[in-house]
Amino acid sequence: MSEKPIGVAVLGLGNVGTEVVRIIENSADDLAARIGAPLELRGVGVRKVAKGRGVSVDLLTDDIEALVSRDDVDIVIELMGPVEPARKAIMAALEKGKSVVTANKALMAQSTGELAQAAEKARVDLYFEAAVAGAIPVIRPLTQSLAGDVVLRVAGIVNGTTNYILSAMSETGADYADALAEAGVLGYAEADPTADVEGYDAAAKAAILASIAFHTRVTADDVYREGMTKVSAADFESAKALGCTIKLLAICERLTTGKGKQRVSARVYPALVPLDHPLASVNGAFNAVFVEAEAAGELMFYGRGAGGAPTASAVMGDVVMAARNRVQGGRGPRESKYAKLPIASIGAIETRYYVSMNVADKPGVLSSVAAEFGKREVSIAEVRQEGMEDESGQRSGARIVVVTHRATDEALSETVAALADHEAVQSINSVLRMEGTSK
Amino acid sequence: MSEKPIGVAVLGLGNVGTEVVRIIENSADDLAARIGAPLELRGVGVRKVAKGRGVSVDLLTDDIEALVSRDDVDIVIELMGPVEPARKAIMAALEKGKSVVTANKALMAQSTGELAQAAEKARVDLYFEAAVAGAIPVIRPLTQSLAGDVVLRVAGIVNGTTNYILSAMSETGADYADALAEAGVLGYAEADPTADVEGYDAAAKAAILASIAFHTRVTADDVYREGMTKVSAADFESAKALGCTIKLLAICERLTTGKGKQRVSARVYPALVPLDHPLASVNGAFNAVFVEAEAAGELMFYGRGAGGAPTASAVMGDVVMAARNRVQGGRGPRESKYAKLPIASIGAIETRYYVSMNVADKPGVLSSVAAEFGKREVSIAEVRQEGMEDESGQRSGARIVVVTHRATDEALSETVAALADHEAVQSINSVLRMEGTSK
């Protein structure tokens, strides 16, 4: 074993930072054996130095720049979030020749180009396994294990909060508001859940997944995004009748046009998923990433997508790899962005649609509704019609649920717009896409 | 991009070899971009050089040693199997300073120490992702992503043939012999299925998984092994009544004794698995590896465990990594065997048992059967008793199914031996373990 220890600096002492420090201290012998040199904690960067944080106060500092510049620091572990001041700290570390491990998804979805360039220039490692799907190894399998294959599609449940809420709605028949409130009480949803329920968190992860899966540059701004706040108990009922459940999916797809040109789609929205699809049984706070590759076929990676200990596991895997590279004088594989694929607009994407609407209960309505689909060459796969009663028990109209075959999003959204103006349609209750079927 | 190409030699031109050659030829531009240098096929080693094998005959050679020794070969891809002549070819390649990628599970389960040492001495890479669970990234997640965590347990469905047979038995109620015959017709079982159905193939994979998960040396001979040929349609019926299915599992476990000493268990046997366990829904020819780690919690990796294209995907991921390392002058992480943990004997392992037996139908039998468990401090979790009729419709005895709580295998097997000698027990129908529950 090498005599010279590998020095690490941890930035941020939240749930993940605390767990990372615990592992570095408690598993010192194991880590040293795996790395080939001891790992030594040089300092922990915090906003305010104070006692009683589970770490010797001598190790704490609020001077992040000085900490990441220390000569005896080899690896900087960034767990501060959000984009700033994390970006500035990481850039400073890379410029000083430190390898960097980060769990910062927002930053990696936005500034990965700039950071990767700085890492390349300094010839150091920049690892971010923990930025997507917490403990689940996803980045490494996509960048390394599938490096000799062609990834066609990635569909992930990558946000634990929304999956907890949707699983609860599916199990108990609860409405969105009640399920959200319960998730808040149990600590699965934050006081302001916008980033989760509106899909911003999932979109950042979709950008990272698309970038590494397709060897191209995709940022969070490139990701089409719809939240899941409008999914209703009635949607779950209809979904069940169709043999489906509803999940918030992050989807990354490689599209090949007629002329062989390739584009990339990255999108986040709630979608119906058939119950026999492996993603359908990923419930509660669990995450999973389903990958389809040309040679490998279907793969799925499943596990805990958040939490201090699971995220720390992913961070420490990266730290051991970066440290090994230091000891052995090499570097890990970097990202490759050679493909430079353009982003496809959502209108060009082919999906299936589920449309639920209330209509007047009179002859000919179903036929005239169906005609709106036909006019735009959207083929209907399944129609369900139910009578509805008003409060006095009188028949007041009918609910129609239509599931289409695959068609472009443009044709589908034009159809829905026409239906909204249709004289026999009282209201469009919901429009969701259906994923995970081939038809 | 570097000008100098990376030369590869492929040994073996079966399903996997043919697919590997196809990818190298068809994806040349993508591979070159990912590696940073073009990949060039120098030759393919075969037993007999002949035309019409889908590869230019000029590339074929039956002189394996000359091929792996060529100066313009950087990476040798071994897809010949079985242990010999593969071992000799790989040793020759490593000694000549070539990096080696292999899918040879039998060899890796037996000679990994010798081969790893040779790779270490030559300072080259030795990769074998395809040796366990085909296309599913398992080796890399365990060795790299979980390098900073403590793996507690690995339970895998790692043999597609037996999983196909057991899934068919579960779905159709078929007996083992019928399901095996059908698997043979469909190409899922070989003419001599012994290696699969007796668990030898799974045991080799268990040895590899245990070695890398626990950083210690485990060979196939260290793995306790029971085949699945005795699992009956009646067992599936009982399993269903207990909310379970039956899977052939490869289990690797880290055991900590009272004094904090650690041992390792690696074992293969058919076991009852609760239907709500993620492994229970892994059906047909799919494989999955379920991992429990201290910080990461539960993880599962799912996908196709065999077949030319899926296995080639795993091989090519290794090839791209080894090639990148050549271009950049580094090496990937090697195996670490520092832990040197002793192997626990099966008798010391704690599991739950399922015992099905036929007994005389008279008063006091259940109590005296239960007493045999109690005497050996084996606690009973559940008992099911059914009357049985003989051919004339007369009541002829009863079938008792007992499920125990966790106890040592020694106590459980002593109990079963005593029951076999018990005067009221007509026959022991089957004894299976139950995994995936905590009780």
Coordinates of all heavy atoms in Angstrom, one line a residue, chain B residues 54-85:
Chain B
G54 N -19.5 -15.6 -41.9 CA -19.9 -14.2 -41.7 C -18.7 -13.3 -41.4 O -18.9 -12.1 -41.2
V55 N -17.5 -13.8 -41.4 CA -16.3 -13.0 -41.2 C -15.3 -13.3 -42.4 O -15.2 -14.5 -42.8 CB -15.6 -13.3 -39.9 CG1 -14.3 -12.6 -39.7 CG2 -16.5 -13.1 -38.7
S56 N -14.7 -12.3 -42.9 CA -13.7 -12.6 -44.0 C -12.8 -13.7 -43.6 O -12.2 -13.6 -42.5 CB -13.0 -11.3 -44.3 OG -11.8 -11.6 -45.0
V57 N -12.6 -14.6 -44.5 CA -11.8 -15.8 -44.1 C -10.3 -15.4 -43.9 O -9.6 -16.1 -43.1 CB -11.9 -16.9 -45.3 CG1 -11.1 -16.5 -46.5 CG2 -11.5 -18.2 -44.7
D58 N -9.9 -14.2 -44.4 CA -8.5 -13.8 -44.2 C -8.3 -13.4 -42.7 O -7.2 -13.4 -42.2 CB -8.2 -12.5 -45.0 CG -8.4 -12.7 -46.5 OD1 -8.4 -13.9 -46.9 OD2 -8.5 -11.8 -47.2
L59 N -9.4 -13.1 -42.0 CA -9.3 -12.8 -40.6 C -9.2 -14.0 -39.7 O -8.8 -13.9 -38.5 CB -10.4 -11.9 -40.1 CG -10.3 -10.4 -40.6 CD1 -11.7 -9.7 -40.3 CD2 -9.2 -9.7 -39.8
L60 N -9.6 -15.1 -40.2 CA -9.7 -16.3 -39.4 C -8.3 -17.0 -39.2 O -7.6 -17.0 -40.2 CB -10.7 -17.3 -40.0 CG -12.1 -16.8 -40.1 CD1 -13.0 -18.0 -40.6 CD2 -12.7 -16.3 -38.8
T61 N -8.1 -17.6 -38.0 CA -6.9 -18.3 -37.8 C -7.2 -19.4 -36.8 O -8.0 -19.2 -35.9 CB -5.7 -17.5 -37.4 OG1 -4.6 -18.3 -37.0 CG2 -6.1 -16.6 -36.1
D62 N -6.5 -20.5 -36.9 CA -6.6 -21.5 -35.8 C -5.4 -21.5 -34.9 O -5.2 -22.4 -34.0 CB -6.9 -22.9 -36.4 CG -5.8 -23.4 -37.4 OD1 -4.8 -22.7 -37.5 OD2 -6.0 -24.4 -38.0
D63 N -4.5 -20.6 -35.2 CA -3.3 -20.5 -34.4 C -3.5 -19.4 -33.3 O -3.1 -18.2 -33.5 CB -2.0 -20.2 -35.2 CG -0.7 -20.3 -34.4 OD1 -0.8 -20.3 -33.2 OD2 0.3 -20.3 -35.0
I64 N -4.2 -19.8 -32.2 CA -4.6 -18.9 -31.2 C -3.4 -18.2 -30.6 O -3.3 -17.0 -30.4 CB -5.4 -19.6 -30.1 CG1 -6.6 -20.4 -30.7 CG2 -5.8 -18.6 -29.0 CD1 -7.7 -19.5 -31.1
E65 N -2.3 -19.0 -30.3 CA -1.2 -18.4 -29.6 C -0.5 -17.3 -30.5 O -0.1 -16.3 -29.9 CB -0.2 -19.5 -29.2 CG 0.6 -19.1 -28.0 CD 1.6 -20.2 -27.6 OE1 1.2 -21.4 -27.6 OE2 2.7 -19.9 -27.1
A66 N -0.4 -17.6 -31.8 CA 0.2 -16.6 -32.7 C -0.7 -15.3 -32.7 O -0.1 -14.2 -32.6 CB 0.4 -17.1 -34.1
L67 N -2.0 -15.5 -32.7 CA -2.9 -14.4 -32.8 C -2.8 -13.5 -31.6 O -2.6 -12.2 -31.7 CB -4.3 -14.9 -33.0 CG -5.4 -13.8 -32.9 CD1 -5.2 -12.8 -34.1 CD2 -6.8 -14.4 -33.1
V68 N -2.8 -14.1 -30.4 CA -2.8 -13.2 -29.1 C -1.4 -12.6 -28.9 O -1.2 -11.7 -28.1 CB -3.2 -14.0 -27.9 CG1 -4.6 -14.6 -28.1 CG2 -2.2 -15.1 -27.5
S69 N -0.4 -13.1 -29.6 CA 1.0 -12.6 -29.5 C 1.3 -11.5 -30.4 O 2.4 -10.9 -30.3 CB 2.0 -13.7 -29.6 OG 1.7 -14.8 -28.7
R70 N 0.5 -11.2 -31.4 CA 0.8 -10.2 -32.4 C 1.0 -8.9 -31.8 O 0.3 -8.4 -30.9 CB -0.4 -10.1 -33.4 CG -0.4 -11.2 -34.5 CD -1.7 -11.1 -35.3 NE -1.8 -9.9 -36.0 CZ -2.5 -9.7 -37.1 NH1 -3.2 -10.8 -37.6 NH2 -2.6 -8.6 -37.7
D71 N 2.0 -8.2 -32.3 CA 2.4 -6.9 -31.8 C 1.3 -5.8 -32.0 O 1.2 -4.9 -31.2 CB 3.7 -6.3 -32.5 CG 4.9 -7.0 -32.1 OD1 4.8 -7.6 -31.0 OD2 5.9 -7.0 -32.8
D72 N 0.5 -6.0 -33.1 CA -0.6 -5.0 -33.3 C -1.9 -5.4 -32.6 O -2.9 -4.8 -32.9 CB -0.8 -4.8 -34.8 CG -1.2 -6.1 -35.5 OD1 -1.3 -7.2 -34.9 OD2 -1.5 -6.0 -36.7
V73 N -1.9 -6.4 -31.7 CA -3.1 -6.7 -30.9 C -2.9 -6.1 -29.5 O -1.9 -6.3 -28.8 CB -3.3 -8.2 -30.8 CG1 -4.3 -8.5 -29.7 CG2 -3.8 -8.7 -32.1
D74 N -3.8 -5.2 -29.1 CA -3.8 -4.6 -27.8 C -4.7 -5.3 -26.8 O -4.5 -5.3 -25.6 CB -4.2 -3.1 -27.9 CG -3.3 -2.3 -28.8 OD1 -2.1 -2.1 -28.4 OD2 -3.7 -2.0 -29.9
I75 N -5.9 -5.8 -27.3 CA -6.9 -6.3 -26.5 C -7.3 -7.7 -27.0 O -7.6 -7.8 -28.2 CB -8.1 -5.4 -26.4 CG1 -7.7 -4.0 -25.8 CG2 -9.3 -6.0 -25.6 CD1 -8.8 -3.0 -25.9
V76 N -7.4 -8.7 -26.2 CA -7.9 -10.0 -26.6 C -9.2 -10.3 -25.9 O -9.4 -10.1 -24.7 CB -6.9 -11.1 -26.1 CG1 -7.4 -12.5 -26.3 CG2 -5.5 -10.9 -26.9
I77 N -10.2 -10.6 -26.8 CA -11.6 -10.9 -26.3 C -11.8 -12.4 -26.4 O -11.9 -13.0 -27.5 CB -12.6 -10.2 -27.3 CG1 -12.2 -8.7 -27.4 CG2 -14.0 -10.3 -26.7 CD1 -13.1 -7.9 -28.4
E78 N -11.8 -13.0 -25.2 CA -11.9 -14.5 -25.1 C -13.4 -14.9 -25.0 O -14.0 -14.7 -24.0 CB -11.1 -15.0 -24.0 CG -11.0 -16.5 -23.9 CD -12.2 -17.2 -23.3 OE1 -12.6 -16.8 -22.1 OE2 -12.8 -18.1 -23.9
L79 N -13.9 -15.6 -26.1 CA -15.3 -16.1 -26.1 C -15.3 -17.5 -26.5 O -16.3 -18.0 -27.2 CB -16.1 -15.2 -27.0 CG -16.0 -13.7 -26.7 CD1 -16.6 -12.9 -27.9 CD2 -16.8 -13.4 -25.4
M80 N -14.2 -18.3 -26.2 CA -14.2 -19.7 -26.6 C -14.8 -20.6 -25.6 O -15.5 -21.5 -26.0 CB -12.7 -20.1 -26.7 CG -11.9 -19.4 -27.7 SD -10.2 -20.2 -27.8 CE -9.5 -19.7 -26.3
G81 N -14.6 -20.3 -24.3 CA -14.9 -21.3 -23.3 C -14.3 -22.6 -23.8 O -13.7 -22.7 -24.8
P82 N -14.4 -23.7 -23.0 CA -14.7 -23.7 -21.6 C -13.4 -23.3 -20.8 O -12.8 -22.4 -21.3 CB -15.0 -25.2 -21.3 CG -14.3 -26.0 -22.4 CD -14.2 -25.0 -23.6
V83 N -13.1 -24.0 -19.7 CA -11.9 -23.5 -18.9 C -10.6 -23.6 -19.8 O -9.9 -22.7 -19.9 CB -11.8 -24.3 -17.6 CG1 -10.5 -24.0 -16.9 CG2 -13.0 -24.0 -16.7
E84 N -10.4 -24.8 -20.4 CA -9.3 -24.9 -21.3 C -9.9 -25.1 -22.7 O -10.9 -25.8 -22.8 CB -8.4 -26.1 -21.0 CG -7.6 -26.0 -19.7 CD -6.6 -24.9 -19.7 OE1 -6.4 -24.2 -20.8 OE2 -6.0 -24.6 -18.7
P85 N -9.4 -24.6 -23.8 CA -8.1 -23.9 -23.9 C -8.1 -22.4 -23.5 O -7.2 -21.7 -23.7 CB -7.7 -24.0 -25.3 CG -9.1 -24.0 -26.0 CD -10.0 -24.7 -25.1

